[in-house]
């Protein structure tokens, strides 16, 4: 059994803690902003409300992007 982080917000929150513990929070925040803006309709369309209410899928996508970019 593999947990479905992308559809469970509580699991996504737990994974965010690991991102912070690895010192990747600034990169993650930027990735999350870009994903939320894309989903909200483009650059400048996302509000703080959109970020606070980012879905588990958006959070996981941002985490994957952050980890990929920081492996280089």
């Amino acid at each position: 059994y593999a947990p479905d982080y992308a559809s469970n917000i509580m699991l996504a929150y737990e994974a965010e803690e690991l991102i912070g513990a690895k010192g990747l929070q600034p990169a993650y925040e930027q990735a999350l902003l870009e994903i939320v803006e894309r989903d909200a309709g483009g650059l400048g369309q996302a509000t703080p409300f959109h970020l606070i209410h980012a879905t588990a899928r958006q959070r996981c996508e941002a985490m994957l992007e952050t980890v990929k970019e920081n492996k280089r």
Side-chain angles (χ1 to χ4, degrees):
Y1 165 74
D4 188 358
Y5 289 87
S7 65
N8 184 319
I9 196 70
M10 296 308 292
L11 291 174
Y13 291 154
E14 287 180 26
E16 283 178 328
E17 293 299 321
L18 296 173
I19 290 289
K22 292 185 176 290
L24 298 174
Q25 186 175 346
Y28 169 70
E29 289 171 359
Q30 183 60 42
L32 183 60
L33 175 62
E34 290 171 8
I35 289 163
V36 169
E37 282 188 327
R38 177 199 69 204
D39 293 351
L43 186 62
Q45 297 300 309
T47 66
F49 184 84
H50 288 101
L51 284 173
I52 293 166
H53 293 279
T55 66
R57 182 201 51 82
Q58 289 169 321
R59 292 167 192 272
C60 287
E61 188 177 344
M63 285 184 259
L64 287 171
E65 191 63 35
T66 299
V67 170
K68 277 187 351 188
E69 289 297 317
N70 285 279
K71 277 194 165 196
R72 296 177 187 175

